Amino acid sequence: MSSDKLKYTRNIGIMAHIDAGKTTTTERILYYTGRNYKLGEVHEGTATMDWMVQEQERGITITSAATTVNWDFDSQAYRLNIIDTPGHVDFTVEVERSLRVLDGAVAVFCAVGGVEPQSETVWKQADKYKVPRICFINKMDRAGADFFAVVDELKDKLGANAVPLQIPIGAEDTFQGVVDLISNKAIIWDDQSKGMNYSEGPVPAEMAEIVDEYRTRLIEGCAEEEDELMEKYFNDHNSITEEEMHRIIRQSVIAMKITPVICGSAFKNKGVQNLLDAICLYLPNPYDVEAVDGINPNTDQAEVRHVDSEEPFAALAFKIATDPFVGRIAFFRVYSGSLQSGSYVLNSSTGKKERISRIMQMHANKQIPLDSIEAGDIGAAVGFKQIRTGDTLCDEKHPIILESMTFPEPVISVAIEPRTQDDVDKLDIALMKLAEEDPTFKIRTDQETGQTVISGMGELHLDILTDRLRREFKLEVNQGAPQVAYREAVTGTVQHREVYKKQTGGKGKFADIIFELGPADDPEFKGLQFVNEVKGGNIPKEFIAPIEKGFKAAMSNGVLAGFALESLKVKLLDGSFHAVDSDALSFEVCAKIGFKEAARKAKSVLLEPIMKIEVNCPDNYVGDVTGDLNKRRAVVENIDAKVKYQIVKAKVPLSEMFGYVTSLRTVTSGRGNSSMEFSHYQEVPKFIAEAVIEKIKG
């Protein structure tokens, strides 16, 4: 790929809150660039980029879809690799991994909703990976649309230096076009041609004042960036040319000093061509982005890779997907060098060689085969054995590990099981495949219940995954709420004598023990604290170990509701044996029965897991968050104040925390997040304990 070609390549993502119009905007881009011949609509389930059945049914984007389009601008063909990302917080991983490999982004905002909670999340993600962006204020035709209010929100809520490049002509029903502040012309779209045609004209007289104000601000801002332009501005502020303004805006966008703002209505086919022009004008090409850093695994030294097809090959796999026809697909971004189909690469993250049998360019879920791919491009590969999200693919002779991605920990779990026994193996394979695709999806087997527990980013996330099990893998599963693993403990000390006797003709069974049972001396102690105080051989030595074994086994099944005991102290005081009838098994069984009897008298109680929780939320929601936690039997320990937000730290029972993520989102309008980890076990209040025991015993 020649250097010229890369100059005219743009790797961009479209990111926004749910329902801001990302997918509709992408569909219009496909239509105007000639990629699609008819307009796909999200609400009709016909959007090209929402190709999953679940997406079409629900009208939401779940998985990021990639496509490549060509756009002619300024008599030059530009190549745009576009990734349409989801807006729902449950699928935030899709945005995270897309932004990691993109050079620029279009942030879409709804002209009515403005900066919404998830807009803040994706904006922070773009900040993290230093992705330059332009803002597109969509849905200008909707009732309540307010362009200037959204621009103010961009500044206040996101801290963006938002610079309008357009002023809308009319709003809501009367929205018909924009005034371009750089060219100082009005652009009016023609509804008959579905927005394909538009006309340019003079600025409407009633808008002359506001246009003049914003245009002067824009020119001033451009002039401040360069001394030469400043001189020109002082001599005659209209002498700065359009080309000079474009050049300065581009420089400032790439340096992340400003974020240009344009507007339109994708659904009404207005403003999308301008957006495409702005992508070509202001967003960086692969050359504009800094060279990528990595570590040589052989030497542990830092190395750099430049965007150059002559350099050693290095690419980052940012997504794994499964296609029913071609199998597993790895999406990757090439940072340096080139790759031919059929060649071998080193997966430096695993240290294994991989053969890339075919390289493709993706268009949603369709593939276009490629012979080779070069630096600065995004493609997809098939034929590999073991590539995971975040792996580095590189030249065998020049290994490098690029910085991978960080993924959030899952926040919600459910237990699942197949409907039929025959499907147990199939379920394991299917879950492994889904976990390969999605780094935020975790599988574990609960040691106590033997259940398979799946964890994800939210209820919707798990709902989609179980739906995919059903449709793609033809597996019917039952899912339930995960069981809280309670524990039991004894609080009092009792002395007890247990005699075990069985006579059935011939050799009988006999064991006799006197012991003291109570809580362990050290509260931190786990397991059985066994003390042997038998004197004078009343119980032979060989029977002491079976007694201990009996108590140990009995601890896994408490007397209240069958939950295990964390710790226990047993002091063996005395006993007796029979020369013929006594044996090891008799003493073991005697200990188990003795435990049951004694534990009932020793005031057994139920313990529950207590979690340590941290909730991050904006200042104005702290009252609601603490109120909600108090309802859940939480003990709030402290509240740390940060700039504009606070961290609430508390201890709370796990049993009260199911569905908390959803509840927190509701309480904080989606702007709060929480993390939880296990702290300790604590006695359950009596009235709750009774309800739990009743439920378990049925």
Side-chain angles (χ1 to χ4, degrees), residues 387-416:
I387 299 178
R388 294 197 164 228
T389 303
D391 285 358
T392 301
L393 308 176
C394 58
D395 186 324
E396 293 171 62
K397 296 187 186 75
H398 301 88
I400 188 169
I401 295 179
L402 303 175
E403 181 201 355
S404 189
M405 292 160 259
T406 49
F407 300 116
E409 281 302 304
V411 289
I412 186 169
S413 308
V414 296
I416 65 163

Side-chain angles (χ1 to χ4, degrees), residues 134-138 140 147-148 151 162-169 175 177-187 189 198 207 210-211 214-215 218 249 259-265 270-278 281-282:
I134 50 181
C135 296
F136 178 62
I137 297 178
N138 189 24
M140 282 301 303
F147 175 78
F148 297 103
V151 173
V163 176
L165 303 184
Q166 299 175 343
I167 301 278
I169 303 174
F175 175 69
V178 296
V179 171
D180 185 329
L181 294 177
I182 297 175
S183 64
N184 207 15
K185 289 177 182 162
I187 299 170
W189 276 276
Y198 52 90
M207 289 178 70
I210 187 163
V211 167
Y214 274 89
R215 191 163 190 264
L218 181 63
I249 294 169
T259 310
V261 185
I262 59 173
C263 62
S265 162
K270 294 179 172 76
V272 178
Q273 296 100 324
N274 286 54
L275 175 63
L276 285 160
D277 292 350
L281 272 169
Y282 308 124

Side-chain angles (χ1 to χ4, degrees), residues 420-440:
T420 62
Q421 206 52 41
D422 301 346
D423 287 345
V424 171
D425 292 345
K426 270 174 75 182
L427 179 66
D428 288 346
I429 294 164
L431 290 174
M432 290 304 290
K433 279 190 176 167
L434 291 175
E436 274 176 4
E437 285 180 35
D438 186 345
T440 57

Side-chain angles (χ1 to χ4, degrees), residues 63 141 145 240 246 248 270 281-282 341 377 399 457 523 662 672 684:
T63 178
D141 59 306
I240 294 178
H246 287 317
I248 293 292
K270 294 179 172 76
L281 272 169
Y282 308 124
S341 66
D377 214 342
M457 296 306 297
T662 312
V684 182

Side-chain angles (χ1 to χ4, degrees), residues 66-277:
T67 186
T68 301
V69 298
N70 294 310
W71 180 243
D72 293 329
F73 172 68
D74 204 14
S75 64
Q76 190 62 51
Y78 282 78
R79 180 159 179 254
L80 313 180
N81 292 319
I82 300 175
I83 296 182
D84 175 31
T85 66
H88 201 286
V89 68
D90 282 15
F91 308 107
T92 192
V93 61
E94 291 284 338
V95 184
E96 184 92 16
R97 53 186 176 187
S98 302
L99 287 172
R100 167 68 180 83
V101 297
L102 293 169
D103 303 329
V106 175
V108 182
F109 295 91
C110 168
V112 182
V115 175
E116 294 169 281
Q118 190 60 13
S119 323
E120 290 181 47
T121 310
V122 296
W123 195 268
K124 283 177 193 156
Q125 287 172 313
D127 280 343
K128 177 170 141 189
Y129 295 115
K130 299 186 177 57
V131 177
R133 61 214 86 147
I134 50 181
C135 296
F136 178 62
I137 297 178
N138 189 24
K139 304 194 175 186
M140 282 301 303
D141 59 306
R142 273 186 58 192
D146 187 335
F147 175 78
F148 297 103
V150 180
V151 173
D152 289 342
E153 276 195 21
L154 289 171
K155 293 174 182 169
D156 296 346
K157 287 189 178 173
L158 303 175
N161 182 7
V163 176
L165 303 184
Q166 299 175 343
I167 301 278
I169 303 174
E172 303 179 353
D173 294 350
T174 59
F175 175 69
Q176 55 192 128
V178 296
V179 171
D180 185 329
L181 294 177
I182 297 175
S183 64
N184 207 15
K185 289 177 182 162
I187 299 170
I188 309 286
W189 276 276
D190 166 36
D191 286 336
Q192 295 313 115
S193 64
K194 290 187 174 167
M196 238 353 155
N197 304 325
Y198 52 90
S199 56
E200 290 184 352
V203 174
E206 66 275 14
M207 289 178 70
E209 202 173 305
I210 187 163
V211 167
D212 196 47
E213 180 196 332
Y214 274 89
R215 191 163 190 264
T216 307
R217 274 194 223 169
L218 181 63
I219 296 172
E220 237 171 65
C222 289
E224 281 170 7
E225 292 296 318
E226 248 177 43
D227 294 346
E228 283 172 36
L229 290 184
M230 204 63 179
E231 265 179 53
K232 275 181 95 171
Y233 176 73
F234 281 135
N235 293 334
D236 172 14
H237 76 263
N238 282 324
S239 64
I240 294 178
T241 65
E242 286 182 34
E243 278 72 31
E244 287 169 325
M245 285 170 75
H246 287 317
R247 178 170 58 81
I248 293 292
I249 294 169
R250 178 174 174 80
Q251 279 174 15
S252 305
V253 170
I254 293 170
M256 293 185 66
K257 288 181 184 169
I258 67 162
T259 310
V261 185
I262 59 173
C263 62
S265 162
F267 183 55
K268 292 286 171 57
N269 315 310
K270 294 179 172 76
V272 178
Q273 296 100 324
N274 286 54
L275 175 63
L276 285 160
D277 292 350

Side-chain angles (χ1 to χ4, degrees), residues 6-12 102-105 130-133 250 253-255 278-290:
L6 271 190
K7 245 171 81 186
Y8 302 112
T9 297
R10 300 286 183 273
N11 295 317
I12 60 156
L102 293 169
D103 303 329
K130 299 186 177 57
V131 177
R133 61 214 86 147
R250 178 174 174 80
V253 170
I254 293 170
I279 291 170
C280 301
L281 272 169
Y282 308 124
L283 285 179
N285 63 43
Y287 287 133
D288 296 320
V289 183
E290 291 171 10

Side-chain angles (χ1 to χ4, degrees), residues 269-463:
N269 315 310
K270 294 179 172 76
V272 178
Q273 296 100 324
N274 286 54
L275 175 63
L276 285 160
D277 292 350
I279 291 170
C280 301
L281 272 169
Y282 308 124
L283 285 179
N285 63 43
Y287 287 133
D288 296 320
V289 183
E290 291 171 10
V292 63
D293 300 331
I295 302 283
N296 183 330
N298 299 343
T299 60
D300 282 339
Q301 297 297 308
E303 289 189 11
V304 175
R305 293 281 192 272
H306 296 93
V307 182
D308 184 349
S309 55
E310 298 307 313
E311 282 213 5
F313 174 72
L316 186 80
F318 64 94
K319 179 178 163 89
I320 307 293
T322 305
D323 184 276
F325 303 109
V326 293
R328 289 170 69 231
I329 302 173
F331 288 77
F332 60 95
R333 157 79 193 258
V334 185
Y335 285 99
S336 63
S338 61
L339 176 69
Q340 312 298 318
S341 66
S343 52
Y344 283 88
V345 296
L346 173 71
N347 180 349
S348 54
S349 311
T350 61
K352 294 199 170 77
K353 276 178 43 176
E354 292 279 3
R355 184 172 181 264
I356 306 295
S357 59
R358 281 189 295 153
I359 306 170
M360 300 168 310
Q361 196 186 73
M362 294 301 288
H363 174 52
N365 62 334
K366 297 178 180 69
Q367 300 98 14
I368 299 142
L370 297 174
D371 294 329
S372 67
I373 188 163
E374 293 188 10
D377 214 342
I378 291 176
V382 292
F384 57 90
K385 286 196 170 69
Q386 205 183 352
I387 299 178
R388 294 197 164 228
T389 303
D391 285 358
T392 301
L393 308 176
C394 58
D395 186 324
E396 293 171 62
K397 296 187 186 75
H398 301 88
I400 188 169
I401 295 179
L402 303 175
E403 181 201 355
S404 189
M405 292 160 259
T406 49
F407 300 116
E409 281 302 304
V411 289
I412 186 169
S413 308
V414 296
I416 65 163
E417 61 181 28
R419 294 256 171 100
T420 62
Q421 206 52 41
D422 301 346
D423 287 345
V424 171
D425 292 345
K426 270 174 75 182
L427 179 66
D428 288 346
I429 294 164
L431 290 174
M432 290 304 290
K433 279 190 176 167
L434 291 175
E436 274 176 4
E437 285 180 35
D438 186 345
T440 57
F441 174 59
K442 299 274 190 299
I443 316 152
R444 64 178 174 86
T445 303
D446 190 303
Q447 294 302 322
E448 291 188 3
T449 60
Q451 285 173 308
T452 302
V453 178
I454 55 173
S455 312
M457 296 306 297
E459 279 146 289
L460 174 66
H461 185 195
L462 294 180
D463 194 24

